[in-house]
Amino acid sequence: EEPSESHLNECLDWIKASQSCDRPIILELYGTLVIWTPSRMVLVTTPRHFKKAEHAVLDFTTTAFELEAIEQALPSAWEHYENDIPNGFSFHDPDRESTAALAHRYKQAMSLAGRLSRLSPHIHLAPEHPPTLAGQLAERLRDRSRLVDREEFAGEQIDTIIRLYETAGQRVSEYGLAQREYVLIWMIVFLLAAEIILLLVDLLSTAGN
């Protein structure tokens, strides 16, 4: 049977009982009702469609949860970003602890970028041909939850954070190379000075003889 008004009201009451502050996504399509929130989900459909529709809803849920986890990690990354901006401009006398902290935050940003890249194929799924109920449910859930826009925003933020740490890492590397070159130059100067002194001593001893 088609989901009735009483079905919808009963399901909404059950959703609200979870005390979730999220507004539910409500889809009614070809006699199928889906009500989705991060804490509770409802699927009402015919037995022959239930398994595939359930699989589509659960796949969407996995993708949505992973994207939300990435989004929740970004505020902490931005907090470190603001503190680390001076290191992206110039880096003087780096100590082991600060260098390790920068490297750790760079790895975290790259990890977020990797997770987002792995998630991207599940967000940018092409429409099914011929269309199926499960495929259309998944597509509409992605559209209603703005997964594509959210992935784009998260990707832009992660790229900005990564650029800072790549710049800071380059500064650290350049500083280390400059220090080694400085030491090498002074070693060469010392060796040349020693050679000149030895040469002068030899000349003086020859002249004395």
Side-chain angles (χ1 to χ4, degrees):
E1 298 179 359
E2 294 271 337
S4 63
E5 188 71 24
S6 61
H7 271 131
L8 178 60
N9 292 333
E10 182 181 351
C11 293
L12 284 173
D13 289 341
W14 183 74
I15 290 287
K16 292 175 182 176
S18 69
Q19 298 181 345
S20 173
C21 59
D22 300 292
R23 293 184 60 183
I25 297 174
I26 302 174
L27 296 177
E28 293 185 75
L29 186 66
Y30 305 131
T32 294
L33 171 66
V34 174
I35 306 176
W36 190 93
T37 68
S39 56
R40 285 191 174 187
M41 291 153 258
V42 172
L43 171 62
V44 182
T45 190
T46 59
R48 66 190 182 94
H49 289 144
F50 186 84
K51 283 296 181 184
K52 290 184 177 179
E54 179 189 37
H55 187 266
V57 173
L58 292 178
D59 275 355
F60 162 77
T61 301
T62 301
T63 302
F65 280 4
E66 177 64 10
L67 181 58
E68 185 177 0
I70 293 171
E71 291 172 329
Q72 289 176 349
L74 285 172
S76 175
W78 277 118
E79 181 179 346
H80 292 305
Y81 176 91
E82 295 295 335
N83 295 330
D84 292 332
I85 284 178
N87 296 328
F89 177 71
S90 68
F91 203 100
H92 300 289
D93 196 19
D95 58 82
R96 187 182 298 274
E97 184 178 347
S98 61
T99 303
L102 287 173
H104 176 67
R105 289 195 278 274
Y106 175 70
K107 290 177 182 177
Q108 287 181 323
M110 290 299 293
S111 175
L112 289 177
R115 289 168 62 184
L116 193 63
S117 295
R118 290 192 296 270
L119 197 63
S120 184
H122 300 281
I123 295 175
H124 298 278
L125 289 173
E128 291 184 344
H129 294 287
T132 63
L133 173 63
Q136 290 188 60
L137 285 175
E139 184 179 348
R140 296 190 184 194
L141 283 169
R142 291 194 300 271
D143 289 343
R144 292 284 297 275
S145 58
R146 298 176 55 248
L147 288 190
V148 173
D149 292 338
R150 289 164 59 193
E151 183 225 13
E152 182 181 348
F153 297 153
E156 290 175 353
Q157 293 181 70
I158 292 171
D159 287 343
T160 301
I161 292 169
I162 287 175
R163 281 199 300 272
L164 169 66
Y165 291 114
E166 286 179 342
T167 303
Q170 184 178 358
R171 296 287 184 183
V172 172
S173 178
E174 289 175 351
Y175 182 86
L177 287 173
Q179 288 289 93
R180 286 192 289 272
E181 289 177 359
Y182 182 77
V183 171
L184 182 60
I185 288 170
W186 275 107
M187 287 178 64
I188 293 171
V189 169
F190 175 79
L191 290 173
L192 288 174
E195 186 177 359
I196 291 171
I197 292 172
L198 290 173
L199 181 60
L200 289 174
V201 170
D202 186 56
L203 287 174
L204 289 173
S205 63
T206 303
N209 291 334

